[in-house]
Amino acid sequence: MSTTALSRVRSGAAPRTGRPGAVWALPGLLFFGIFAVLPMGLVAYLSLTSWGGLGAPRFIGMENWSRLAGDTVMHKAIVLSLVLTVANWAVQTPISLLLGVWAAGPQRNRAVLSAVFFTPLLLSSAAIAIIWKSLLDPNFGPLAQVGPWLGYPGADVLGDSTGAFAAIVFVSAWQFIPLHMLLYQGGARQIPESLYRAAEIDGAGRLRSFWHITLPQLRHTITTSSVLMVVGSLTYFETVLILTDGGPGTDTSIVPYLMYQVGFESWKTGYASAIAFTLVVVATAVSLIMVRLTGFGAMRSTKEGM
Amino acid sequence: MKQMTPAPPATPRERPADSGAVQVPDAPRRRRRRPIRRPNLLAGAGVFLWLLVVGIPVYALIIATFQRSSDYRAEGPLTPTGDPTLQNYVAAFENGLLGFVLNTLVVTAAVVALVVFFATTIGYAVIRSRTRWTSGIFRVFLFGLAIPAQAVVIPVYLIIRELGLYDSLTAIVLPTAAFALPVCVLILTGSMRDISEELYEAMALDGAGPVRTFLQLVVPLSRSGISTVGVYAALQAWNGFIFPFILTQSHDNRLITLGLFEFQGQYRVDIPGLLTAVLLSAIPIFIVYLVARRSLVNGLMGVGGK
Amino acid sequence: MNTSRAGAAGAIAIGLLTVTACGGGGSADGKMHVWMYQDSLAVVQKSAVERFNEDADIEAVVDEVPGDTYQDKVRTVMGSGDQPDVFFNWGAGSIQPYVEQDMLLPLDDALESDPEFADAYISSVMEAGKVDGVQYGIPLRGTQPVILFYNKEVFEDVDAEAPETWDDIIDLTDTFKDEGITPFALGGADAWTEQMWLQYLVDRQGGPEVFQRIQDGDSEGWRDPAVLKAAETVEDLVERGAFGDNFASVSYTEGAASDLLAQGKAAMHLMGSWEFSTHLDQAPEFAEEGLGYVAFPALPDGEGDPANVAGNPTNYFSVSADSEYTEEAVEFLKTTSSEEYVQDMVDNGEVPTTTGAEELLKDSPDPDFATFQYEMVQDAPHFQLSWDQALPPEVATPMLTEIEKLFNGQISPEEFVDAVAELQ
């Protein structure tokens, strides 16, 4: 390894190796610094202040944090966020994996059906939430007709704690399964055919080759897809805002929604920053753990001899 | 500093420029895949079920856009109306939907341009620079993967306010691009690692500096990675909600997601009108999908890496 | 991770600089910006701005901001240094944070120097435009009392009369429930519609003093027995099925609650007077023929005067203190009592809050309804501003959540009282 100084000098001309200096990363790093890292620092600072969005923030030390520690709504929000994350993962992973593997197969109707399955990806989260809100209307939507069969005689799905939460899990599955299905489809296509042949010769059935070949071969895809799902679930916002508004009561007020409500409706900006910072810490911890456990995104150097 | 191994015979331009990240298996292999044994009834049933889950809401959405508000209330969205109307479409255009779509296109294009520029330069520096900074830089972005945009929206609002950009399209572009960057850097570094050492050495022997190496070798060979990044950034911008929601206010700077959210409040009773706006909002992506289906799908598959 | 720690330290330093820096006021485009809540009534203000522009040296423009998030948007923009010169608000708690930051222009001087302007409005309505006794808001809209609407046809079908007493309310609830009709439409997905019930119940039970104490900042005011009694009444109504079994997911803003009434699926609907214009727009025949209206009845043993009214006395215009056009803005505010302005309001179905507007009401699309409202407000000893507007947003937002929980049966009346008392 050369010293930094040397490489800086080289970065200008670098006549023989053509290697770029760290300067190449500077514009992007600065940009990212101003709009992502700096805000993180500000969140930490604001969490120590009392501020209503007007005038200057007043430094109050750990007051927000001690209140946060005893805030039952926040505790509930954290639990809800975690449950949502687990539920999203548990619902979306098997369905998208199976659909993805299926779509990678040779069936003739596959292309047409895949195209239909792709449609939710054309719609934004806001659009999807609006569609489902109208579909779940208890008096004037299709749910009013089929609700009684599903155990909701009043079709009061969004007004019921379990129902509203289930609706959010369902709508996010509807929205995100197509994306994850595509990931798995891409992954499944790269499994060498020879593995299946060999298994077939060994007399393995469909189930066994799925279990012993497909699943292990897809482990990287499973990791990627899971990280995306987890981070996505922790920061889920629009759907809750539009579909349930955090209700009934606070029964679907997950952390990002609570932060929005406290910050931009109640205007307790300092307190909202403490919530936000908690979210950052949780999301960072969760993804670092996942990265550690799975090696996702590691400096997987293939050809560089480092 | 490590010295280079002897140069390979070919210069990069003479090489087939197709060793990018996303390796879609060649067609013949796919065709030969697993001769159909017996129809998989279970898979068929599962796929059919999912077809219903995706298809029924989409069907209800399309039907509703041709209904009058009063018919929708009376008949519900599941039966096609006997008296279809186009007035919802006319109303959507009169309400400025087209302007919202144009704004969104502008923002999306700008976000994609920024992200591609920053992610390629950062990726190049991370892969090829010999300074000890680069692994630190890479860590910053890995860490940044977990920063939820929702959590830092308050300070982002402050920064935008101080830059005098509140209520402008630029205000949406900058943070949206910054938050798309970590994933894109990860994807692109992965993709760039596949460019072989020999090619770089050949460029160096040619006397190419970092800029020429970047433009003539790295960018062309990362094409598929770049298209993946482009698709990812475009989807982020197209679906973005929280930044436009907090950072803009006026009708002139409204994006489509927010336009939908606000149509929701404005239309009051007119669910078909709202759903028409929802449907129209998907049309630009639908056109892209029709025109560039293959690269869009491959791009999305590429988000999962390998 | 040394770099990011250093980065964070730097960020805090820069952050301190940026957040304490003061933004300059006003938009830079040389126009006077008037912010309006976007709805069908804003045409009155738009034509007022047109008239104003004919004579004024500067140009005024109306910026319409979509409804649901109006207040959040105002708060966001007020801090941004890009604030509107004149903006629509609900008076009282809704403007209190700005007053505390000296962001609003006190209007007392302007009123004193122009007695005609000062006497132009009904005094009970001017009251909610004050913060700490100083006038910051000038009425700009018609009055919007909350009224009990009912569907005449549904009442005829079961041979019932409009409710006059609380016993009638209970009897009608049982009657309609037996008929399979929801007694009261309620858009429980929007908690402020539930708040309307509670604020009437508290007022009828204990009089306006109960909430006044809370509004003055004494959170123990929530522990007044009248609040508990009102909450128990809510619990009783919900258990009786007064609001049907799915009100929690019925949306008012999407029109579902109003539709239930218009289609006869619900018999009554407690709602602001704008409900009439909504029906006039969506189902004109029903609005003219089938829509009945009465005042909220008295409670047995209630101490409150049944003539009291709750709702929005009106909406107000306030002026930003650091606007470049404060003088012009005050001139513009004065036009809200002009003859043309008041006439526009009446033609649009609004009931003006200017003194002596009575004779104009015959021009209203529905003179009977207009007169009913005008007299209701004129004769009211007290006009209770909606709680969520009377209290600052820090308290109002969580309060609405607690009200929603009370209606959903997620908390008991006692728990409700404890929860709201701890908010301040």
Side-chain angles (χ1 to χ4, degrees):
Chain A
M1 276 283 170
S2 65
T3 64
T4 327
L6 181 58
S7 84
R8 278 237 184 88
V9 173
R10 284 178 163 281
S11 68
R16 280 178 44 232
T17 63
R19 278 183 189 277
V23 167
W24 278 74
L26 205 62
L29 203 61
L30 261 179
F31 181 73
F32 188 67
I34 293 174
F35 292 104
V37 182
L38 171 66
M40 285 266 292
L42 278 173
V43 165
Y45 168 70
L46 286 175
S47 75
L48 304 175
T49 66
S50 162
W51 191 43
L54 306 166
R58 192 165 49 85
F59 188 81
I60 52 164
M62 298 304 285
E63 211 175 289
N64 286 327
W65 287 98
S66 54
R67 248 186 69 207
L68 194 67
D71 185 348
T72 48
V73 178
M74 178 63 184
H75 297 166
K76 190 166 156 192
I78 292 179
V79 172
L80 284 172
S81 270
L82 293 177
V83 173
L84 180 70
T85 306
V86 172
N88 275 347
W89 186 85
V91 170
Q92 292 176 27
T93 301
I95 298 179
S96 42
L97 199 155
L98 290 172
L99 284 172
V101 169
W102 171 83
Q107 299 85 341
R108 223 176 291 147
N109 50 12
R110 180 177 51 85
V112 180
L113 285 173
S114 299
V116 175
F117 292 167
F118 193 83
T119 29
L121 274 179
L122 302 173
L123 297 159
S124 58
S125 311
I128 288 173
I130 288 170
I131 293 173
W132 280 100
K133 192 166 186 194
S134 69
L135 293 176
L136 294 176
D137 187 290
N139 295 301
F140 300 105
L143 183 73
Q145 289 148 29
V146 295
W149 305 348
L150 301 173
Y152 285 99
D156 190 21
V157 170
L158 294 179
D160 173 83
S161 303
T162 335
F165 194 83
I168 288 172
V169 172
F170 178 80
V171 171
S172 46
W174 197 82
Q175 178 177 7
F176 291 112
I177 281 179
L179 173 69
H180 294 282
M181 171 187 152
L182 276 175
L183 300 185
Y184 284 113
Q185 187 181 349
R189 280 200 187 154
Q190 289 181 31
I191 302 173
E193 183 62 17
S194 52
L195 291 178
Y196 290 104
R197 291 257 178 69
E200 214 171 307
I201 291 164
D202 286 351
R206 200 176 261 139
L207 199 63
R208 271 189 62 191
S209 31
F210 177 79
W211 198 253
H212 291 287
I213 299 169
T214 314
L215 271 188
Q217 288 285 321
L218 283 177
R219 63 185 184 277
H220 282 307
T221 318
I222 294 175
T223 310
T224 314
S225 148
S226 303
V227 171
L228 288 177
M229 272 181 207
V230 167
V231 175
S233 304
L234 286 175
T235 60
Y236 214 49
F237 171 70
E238 300 95 291
T239 312
V240 175
L241 176 73
I242 295 172
L243 206 59
T244 67
D245 223 352
T250 51
D251 286 353
T252 57
S253 293
I254 55 174
V255 180
Y257 177 81
L258 185 68
M259 190 226 82
Y260 163 76
Q261 198 184 34
V262 172
F264 289 91
E265 284 181 6
S266 299
W267 289 95
K268 287 183 264 191
T269 313
Y271 191 55
S273 298
I275 299 176
F277 197 73
T278 313
L279 183 62
V280 171
V281 170
V282 172
T284 311
V286 169
S287 22
L288 285 185
I289 290 169
M290 293 188 75
V291 165
R292 211 22 84 72
L293 286 179
T294 56
F296 170 73
M299 291 280 279
R300 265 180 296 174
S301 169
T302 45
K303 280 150 195 156
E304 257 200 349
M306 285 183 77
Chain B
M1 182 143 240
K2 230 191 265 172
Q3 205 30 278
M4 300 290 118
T5 47
T11 66
R13 268 155 297 167
E14 289 162 78
R15 284 248 173 158
D18 204 2
S19 54
V22 186
Q23 273 161 358
V24 182
D26 45 327
R29 203 206 299 168
R30 239 183 292 153
R31 233 186 296 123
R32 275 188 277 111
R33 179 150 204 176
R34 262 189 290 173
I36 299 168
R37 290 180 284 192
R38 58 197 146 81
N40 191 340
L41 286 179
L42 208 64
V47 167
F48 181 70
L49 200 69
W50 190 249
L51 184 68
L52 290 183
V53 170
V54 175
I56 290 176
V58 172
Y59 165 79
L61 169 68
I62 294 171
I63 291 294
T65 63
F66 296 104
Q67 276 177 322
R68 279 170 228 281
S69 183
S70 49
D71 293 347
Y72 179 88
R73 289 300 195 198
E75 295 164 24
L78 290 182
T79 33
T81 171
D83 178 24
T85 170
L86 284 175
Q87 71 178 25
N88 296 319
Y89 288 87
V90 176
F93 281 106
E94 283 171 355
N95 277 289
L97 194 83
L98 207 60
F100 302 164
V101 169
L102 283 179
N103 281 342
T104 313
L105 287 175
V106 170
V107 166
T108 304
V111 167
V112 169
L114 274 181
V115 165
V116 166
F117 173 75
F118 287 133
T120 46
T121 49
I122 293 168
Y124 182 42
V126 167
I127 295 294
R128 293 297 294 170
S129 179
R130 278 294 188 196
T131 68
R132 64 195 164 85
W133 288 95
T134 50
S135 74
I137 292 170
F138 188 73
R139 284 237 179 86
V140 169
F141 284 101
L142 197 58
F143 175 66
L145 203 59
I147 305 179
Q150 278 79 3
V152 295
V153 69
I154 294 167
V156 165
Y157 157 69
L158 280 178
I159 291 169
I160 290 294
R161 209 172 92 173
E162 290 308 314
L163 292 175
L165 292 173
Y166 177 76
D167 196 23
S168 67
L169 292 182
T170 320
I172 306 171
V173 170
L174 298 175
T176 307
F179 281 91
L181 213 45
V183 171
C184 295
V185 168
L186 279 181
I187 294 171
L188 265 181
T189 47
S191 165
M192 285 177 179
R193 274 183 223 289
D194 290 347
I195 302 172
S196 77
E197 185 67 34
E198 292 87 44
L199 296 178
Y200 284 114
E201 283 157 12
M203 284 299 284
L205 269 193
D206 250 14
V211 176
R212 224 182 97 194
T213 311
F214 178 71
L215 291 178
Q216 294 184 348
L217 175 75
V218 178
V219 171
L221 290 195
S222 315
R223 265 201 324 233
S224 65
I226 290 174
S227 71
T228 301
V229 163
V231 168
Y232 178 81
L235 279 180
Q236 292 294 307
W238 189 265
N239 287 333
F241 184 83
I242 186 104
F243 289 133
F245 186 40
I246 304 289
L247 302 176
T248 63
Q249 166 285 119
S250 65
H251 191 267
D252 292 346
N253 292 323
R254 201 159 293 158
L255 298 200
I256 186 67
T257 43
L258 208 57
L260 292 179
F261 179 65
E262 282 163 358
F263 271 145
Q264 196 197 6
Q266 188 186 340
Y267 272 109
R268 306 283 150 178
V269 200
D270 191 6
I271 298 286
L274 179 63
L275 292 178
T276 307
V278 163
L279 188 72
L280 288 172
S281 78
I283 284 183
I285 288 211
F286 186 63
I287 292 171
V288 174
Y289 176 67
L290 288 182
V291 173
R293 177 168 173 266
R294 189 155 301 235
S295 53
L296 187 67
V297 169
N298 285 342
L300 282 171
M301 282 182 186
V303 173
K306 297 163 292 170
Chain C
M1 286 284 152
N2 264 331
T3 39
S4 63
R5 205 174 296 147
I12 291 171
I14 298 169
L16 283 169
L17 289 176
T18 52
V19 293
T20 47
C22 254
S27 303
D29 63 358
K31 291 176 183 166
M32 184 172 91
H33 286 261
V34 178
W35 270 35
M36 274 306 296
Y37 181 93
Q38 179 177 345
D39 62 16
S40 59
L41 299 177
V43 289
V44 175
Q45 286 72 36
K46 279 190 252 178
S47 37
V49 162
E50 274 172 34
R51 280 196 303 273
F52 176 77
N53 284 341
E54 283 170 17
D55 301 327
D57 300 331
I58 57 160
E59 191 188 343
V61 286
V62 175
D63 295 336
E64 283 186 275
V65 181
D68 284 350
T69 53
Y70 179 84
Q71 295 210 67
D72 312 338
K73 286 285 176 197
V74 170
R75 185 76 174 245
T76 316
V77 82
M78 284 302 273
S80 75
D82 203 19
Q83 58 268 48
D85 301 283
V86 177
F87 68 98
F88 169 105
N89 59 67
W90 286 262
S94 74
I95 51 172
Q96 193 180 328
Y98 310 125
V99 171
E100 283 166 9
Q101 296 291 335
D102 297 326
M103 288 176 146
L104 299 187
L105 185 75
L107 300 169
D108 288 349
D109 292 349
L111 289 166
E112 264 169 47
S113 62
D114 189 348
E116 203 182 316
F117 178 37
D119 296 336
Y121 307 93
I122 299 176
S123 63
S124 71
V125 167
M126 286 295 265
E127 206 54 38
K130 288 182 186 168
V131 175
D132 302 331
V134 180
Q135 195 78 38
Y136 289 99
I138 294 297
L140 75 97
R141 262 212 175 155
T143 185
Q144 298 169 334
V146 173
I147 295 168
L148 187 56
F149 290 95
Y150 64 95
N151 184 323
K152 286 183 190 163
E153 202 180 314
V154 173
F155 269 68
E156 275 163 28
D157 287 347
V158 299
D159 213 13
E161 297 284 325
E164 284 170 8
T165 65
W166 192 253
D167 287 339
D168 292 348
I169 294 277
I170 300 297
D171 290 346
L172 286 169
T173 298
D174 296 341
T175 312
F176 286 117
K177 220 186 133 204
D178 293 343
E179 295 286 324
I181 294 168
T182 305
F184 296 93
L186 178 64
D190 303 294
W192 54 266
T193 63
E194 296 170 334
Q195 170 188 261
M196 288 174 168
W197 279 90
L198 199 63
Q199 63 198 18
Y200 258 128
L201 288 169
V202 168
D203 185 274
R204 294 288 186 266
Q205 190 67 47
E209 299 77 21
V210 178
F211 187 75
Q212 191 57 47
R213 196 174 146 203
I214 296 163
Q215 194 181 342
D216 292 340
D218 180 3
S219 61
E220 285 304 298
W222 287 108
R223 299 195 191 275
D224 191 294
V227 178
L228 181 63
K229 189 82 210 315
E232 283 167 354
T233 312
V234 166
E235 188 187 38
D236 177 55
L237 284 171
V238 171
E239 280 171 4
R240 277 174 191 278
F243 308 112
D245 52 7
N246 60 12
F247 65 89
S249 44
V250 172
S251 163
Y252 178 77
T253 44
E254 274 158 40
S258 309
D259 265 21
L260 288 175
L261 183 72
Q263 296 191 357
K265 291 181 182 173
M268 293 169 272
H269 190 195
L270 185 69
M271 193 32 72
S273 58
W274 59 82
E275 182 72 355
F276 184 82
S277 343
T278 306
H279 286 301
L280 201 58
D281 188 41
Q282 300 293 334
E285 215 167 289
F286 170 69
E288 280 156 21
E289 303 295 326
L291 188 64
Y293 38 84
V294 287
F296 196 87
L299 285 178
D301 330 315
E303 289 167 25
D305 187 333
N308 284 344
V309 177
N312 298 327
T314 185
N315 296 109
Y316 301 86
F317 267 141
S318 295
V319 180
S320 293
D322 58 356
S323 159
E324 285 173 56
Y325 308 113
T326 46
E327 269 176 48
E328 289 87 347
V330 170
E331 284 309 309
F332 174 67
L333 259 46
K334 288 183 182 175
T335 67
T336 62
S337 58
S338 73
E339 213 169 296
E340 295 98 325
Y341 190 96
V342 175
Q343 186 69 49
D344 273 357
M345 280 169 50
V346 171
D347 291 346
N348 212 14
E350 292 186 77
V351 175
T353 55
T354 46
T355 41
E358 227 164 343
E359 53 268 36
L360 289 172
L361 294 177
K362 61 180 190 317
D363 296 338
S364 173
D366 191 315
D368 289 344
F369 182 62
T371 312
F372 169 76
Q373 274 185 83
Y374 191 80
E375 283 171 1
M376 185 175 179
V377 173
Q378 185 90 317
D379 299 344
H382 177 77
F383 197 140
Q384 176 58 54
L385 173 62
S386 297
W387 290 358
D388 57 342
Q389 305 297 347
L391 296 171
E394 290 83 342
V395 183
T397 309
M399 175 195 72
L400 285 175
T401 306
E402 297 303 330
I403 293 178
E404 190 185 330
K405 286 189 195 164
L406 172 69
F407 273 77
N408 290 346
Q410 290 167 305
I411 50 175
S412 69
E414 291 80 10
E415 286 168 325
F416 170 76
V417 168
D418 285 340
V420 284
E422 277 159 27
L423 289 176
Q424 261 155 329

